[in-house]
């Protein structure tokens, strides 16, 4: 649907390297996509590294000695002296509109939502949109030297936006809000990450009277329980395996909610991501999508999850297949990261980031997805 060359950079000294992970909502006869636009400083200088940040709504580039940093992956570097991370790129949100939900009719020429607050210094990322009443609520990731948090913005018209501050403090990502109150409370899924890893990152649920104050936390989807078939537990996964094999052979490293749950007769349907690494050299790993169902009236009760992924990276724009036009343009291979959904009858349109580079859409049948959940 959208590639980096479809979008103008916010500043002439930067280039757009990614247009991905869109928050999506269908309202009236229009599909609104708030796309994450990742930008990188254009000018490269010998022996230096260019690290972007935003201050008072303006982009600034910190040029540092290259050998003072170690590369974590394409997205981030680590300072050798402080051990703290910096991102190699900075993101903002850009509005795209589509009447049929598949073809883009327009994309804002300038940033729609740009980092302004100190807690957004290293960028704003990965919007998820929920409509409640006549208001659209946008949860998004804000990154700064204070860490990774999730904040809230609301709008009625995608022209005027109101910031409501931070909902979940560091580190918390993948926050999605249910589209209605359940037993008098708003409900959200969130994904805290513990600095002291007693277990893998998992999906939690929280409740709120006002969308701002969240409590009554429960861990609702465990990462380990459904991941690795016991019989291959001791096999050493290798990067030479096909993606499908890697997905079934390796531990799921991280899971997190994809998009706001949708109401079905069988329960609340949530499509969430899980990532797996073949080995330690495999820096980012493979991201695919799973499905889960929660009870309608008591959503902290998990009905089931899909045993296998319902969406894996397999198109050329997701795998960045060698020889394809995506090979050199794409940022990171083997990522499908779905962040939006539009349901109409049995048809689901799933909106995803592909390879941390593109915005893509996939049509799935609701029945097939429900069947996959055990
Ligand atoms: C991870 C990835 C990046 C993102 C940072 C900060 O490294 O998800 O895409 O920019 O976290 O959120």
């Amino acid at each position: 649907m959208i590639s980096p060359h479809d979008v103008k950079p916010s500043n002439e000294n930067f280039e757009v390297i990614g247009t991905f992970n869109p928050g999506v909502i269908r309202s009236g006869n229009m599909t609104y996509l708030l796309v994450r636009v990742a930008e990188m400083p254009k000018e490269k200088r010998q022996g230096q590294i260019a690290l972007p940040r935003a201050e008072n709504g303006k982009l600034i580039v910190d040029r540092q000695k290259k050998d003072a940093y170690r590369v974590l992956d394409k997205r981030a570097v680590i300072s050798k002296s402080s051990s703290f991370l910096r991102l190699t790129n900075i993101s903002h949100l850009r509005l795209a509109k589509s009447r049929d939900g598949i073809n883009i009719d327009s994309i804002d020429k300038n940033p729609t939502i740009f980092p302004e607050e100190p807690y957004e210094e290293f960028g704003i990322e990965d919007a998820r949109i929920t409509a409640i009443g006549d208001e659209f609520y946008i949860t998004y990731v804000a990154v700064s030297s204070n860490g990774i948090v999730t904040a809230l913005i609301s709008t009625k018209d995608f022209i005027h936006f109101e910031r409501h501050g931070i909902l979940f403090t560091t580190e918390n990502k993948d926050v999605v809000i249910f589209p209605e109150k359940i037993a008098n409370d708003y409900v959200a899924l969130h994904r805290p990450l513990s600095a002291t890893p007693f277990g893998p990152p998992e999906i939690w649920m929280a409740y709120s009277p006002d969308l701002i104050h969240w409590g009554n936390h429960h861990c609702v989807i465990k990462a380990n329980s459904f991941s690795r078939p016991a019989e291959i537990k001791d096999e050493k996964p290798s990067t030479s395996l096909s993606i499908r094999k890697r997905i079934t052979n390796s531990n799921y490293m991280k899971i997190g909610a994809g998009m706001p749950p949708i109401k079905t007769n069988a329960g609340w349907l949530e499509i969430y991501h899980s990532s797996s690494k073949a080995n330690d050299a495999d820096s980012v790993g493979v991201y695919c999508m799973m499905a889960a169902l929660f009870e309608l009236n008591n959503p902290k009760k998990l009905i089931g999850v899909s045993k296998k992924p319902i969406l894996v990276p397999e198109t050329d724009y997701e795998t960045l297949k060698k020889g394809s036009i995506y090979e050199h343009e794409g940022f990171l291979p083997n990522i499908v990261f779905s962040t939006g959904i539009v349901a109409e009858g049995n048809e689901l349109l799933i909106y995803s980031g592909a390879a941390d580079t593109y915005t893509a859409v996939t049509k799935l049948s609701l029945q097939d997805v429900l069947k996959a959940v055990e």
Side-chain angles (χ1 to χ4, degrees):
M1 293 180 89
I2 308 175
S3 299
H5 46 79
D6 295 326
V7 172
K8 271 212 191 122
S10 68
N11 175 311
E12 55 183 17
N13 300 322
F14 280 70
E15 62 180 324
V16 173
I17 56 155
T19 46
F20 59 118
N21 300 0
V24 181
I25 197 90
R26 177 111 187 136
S27 175
N29 291 323
M30 195 61 89
T31 298
Y32 299 87
L33 299 96
L34 275 175
V35 179
R36 170 176 172 189
V37 174
E39 302 179 294
M40 227 182 220
K42 263 204 288 210
E43 193 198 340
K44 311 273 179 268
R45 292 186 197 158
Q46 191 76 28
Q48 286 193 354
I49 189 166
L51 302 172
R53 68 186 158 88
E55 203 179 282
N56 303 323
K58 286 224 167 64
L59 288 184
I60 292 175
V61 180
D62 297 324
R63 294 194 186 268
Q64 311 269 353
K65 283 210 173 99
K66 208 174 192 164
D67 56 17
Y69 288 85
R70 186 163 69 70
V71 174
L72 179 71
D73 55 47
K74 261 182 134 175
R75 306 173 294 194
V77 294
I78 301 180
S79 154
K80 286 181 187 164
S81 58
S82 72
S83 297
F84 295 133
L85 251 68
R86 282 292 297 267
L87 295 176
T88 57
N89 58 88
I90 182 163
S91 298
H92 65 263
L93 304 178
R94 200 79 73 101
L95 181 69
K97 289 191 214 162
S98 166
R99 278 166 300 176
D100 64 5
I102 305 227
N103 298 289
I104 297 293
D105 295 307
S106 66
I107 306 179
D108 276 7
K109 290 204 170 40
N110 297 305
T112 314
I113 305 177
F114 200 73
E116 276 172 16
E117 298 294 330
Y119 56 85
E120 299 169 341
E121 182 189 11
F122 299 151
I124 56 186
E125 310 175 341
D126 304 353
R128 270 75 166 214
I129 311 173
T130 303
I132 305 177
D134 61 355
E135 202 83 39
F136 302 107
Y137 291 96
I138 303 155
T139 53
Y140 66 100
V141 171
V143 192
S144 73
S145 56
N146 293 130
I148 297 175
V149 301
T150 293
L152 182 71
I153 284 179
S154 67
T155 182
K156 280 191 162 64
D157 51 14
F158 287 99
I159 300 168
H160 307 95
F161 296 91
E162 192 185 339
R163 275 177 166 77
H164 301 277
I166 298 169
L167 303 188
F168 292 91
T169 62
T170 177
E171 174 167 342
N172 210 314
K173 276 188 173 185
D174 305 320
V175 175
V176 299
I177 297 174
F178 283 61
E180 58 186 70
K181 276 187 166 178
I182 303 167
N184 291 323
D185 276 320
Y186 295 106
V187 185
L189 295 170
H190 65 108
R191 208 285 307 279
L193 193 67
S194 6
T196 313
F198 284 99
E202 297 170 324
I203 299 177
W204 289 63
M205 191 174 279
Y207 295 80
S208 170
D210 57 6
L211 290 169
I212 304 293
H213 303 88
W214 294 89
N216 196 4
H217 299 272
H218 301 269
C219 175
V220 286
I221 306 183
K222 309 272 303 161
N224 263 347
S225 9
F226 315 104
S227 56
R228 198 172 185 182
E231 64 273 20
I232 58 155
K233 222 175 193 150
D234 296 317
E235 240 176 63
K236 253 218 153 101
S238 115
T239 20
S240 60
L241 291 175
S242 74
I243 291 178
R244 268 181 198 281
K245 282 256 178 62
R246 281 165 69 185
I247 289 167
T248 38
N249 276 18
S250 43
N251 267 317
Y252 287 122
M253 225 174 52
K254 280 184 179 176
I255 60 173
M259 63 287 274
I262 57 165
K263 204 175 192 176
T264 74
N265 291 334
W268 290 104
L269 172 66
E270 169 62 20
I271 296 177
Y272 65 100
H273 71 261
S274 87
S275 74
S276 59
K277 277 187 175 192
N279 56 38
D280 287 342
D282 187 3
S283 66
V284 177
V286 175
Y287 276 74
C288 52
M289 301 308 293
M290 314 281 284
L293 273 175
F294 299 102
E295 270 190 24
L296 285 181
N297 298 324
N298 185 13
K300 69 173 187 277
K301 279 216 158 144
L302 180 68
I303 297 170
V305 299
S306 59
K307 266 238 166 86
K308 283 192 260 160
I310 57 157
L311 206 57
V312 307
E314 55 188 352
T315 65
D316 291 357
Y317 51 83
E318 290 156 343
T319 61
L320 306 182
K321 191 173 164 198
K322 289 215 161 59
S324 76
I325 55 163
Y326 307 103
E327 180 184 356
H328 299 294
E329 188 184 50
F331 195 57
L332 285 166
N334 303 326
I335 298 180
V336 55
F337 192 89
S338 310
T339 42
I341 190 167
V342 171
E344 250 172 48
N346 188 47
E347 185 183 283
L348 302 178
L349 289 179
I350 312 272
Y351 296 85
S352 315
D356 272 12
T357 310
Y358 308 105
T359 287
V361 60
T362 309
K363 209 179 268 182
L364 288 179
S365 118
L366 173 63
Q367 260 182 355
D368 287 350
V369 174
L370 293 179
K371 256 192 249 153
V373 178
E374 306 211 350

